[in-house]
Amino acid sequence: MSESPEVEIVDAAEQGRFELRVGGELVSFVDYADHDGRRAFPHTQTYPEFGGRGYGTQVVRAALDEAVAAGRSVVPSCPFVRAVVQQHPAEYGALVA
């Protein structure tokens, strides 16, 4: 039985995004911009060859979890981020600015 590659999610603040890497390879990311205590999420990308595996949702949830921990409100302008917020209203609904 082979091991699955390690999934790592990091806040790449210098690029203004959270990144999800699998075995060191960039697979998915969600961009953000901070303004007046709010964090806007304008774009999410998962490279096509990695689609359908839940990586986009994982990276978005990590970014939203960080917003919860930091007490930030969020502006989910990206439709994918908005969908994740709507799918998990108990966890993220109160964050929406």
Side-chain angles (χ1 to χ4, degrees):
M1 178 182 253
S2 66
E3 278 188 36
S4 297
E6 181 180 342
V7 173
E8 176 186 32
I9 300 173
V10 297
D11 180 359
E14 60 281 353
Q15 279 87 29
R17 66 189 192 185
F18 277 79
E19 298 178 343
L20 184 144
R21 295 178 177 274
V22 176
E25 182 175 1
L26 180 62
V27 168
S28 186
F29 62 88
V30 57
D31 292 326
Y32 67 82
D34 295 333
H35 184 68
D36 291 336
R38 294 182 301 176
R39 178 163 280 177
F41 293 101
H43 178 72
T44 303
Q45 173 77 43
T46 299
Y47 294 105
E49 61 270 28
F50 298 102
R53 301 182 202 175
Y55 293 135
T57 299
Q58 286 181 52
V59 74
V60 166
R61 290 196 66 175
L64 292 170
D65 289 345
E66 190 279 335
V68 168
R72 299 179 193 274
S73 60
V74 300
V75 180
S77 49
C78 169
F80 188 79
V81 175
R82 192 167 37 253
V84 172
V85 169
Q86 290 170 349
Q87 291 166 0
H88 303 278
E91 294 168 74
Y92 307 125
L95 295 176
V96 178

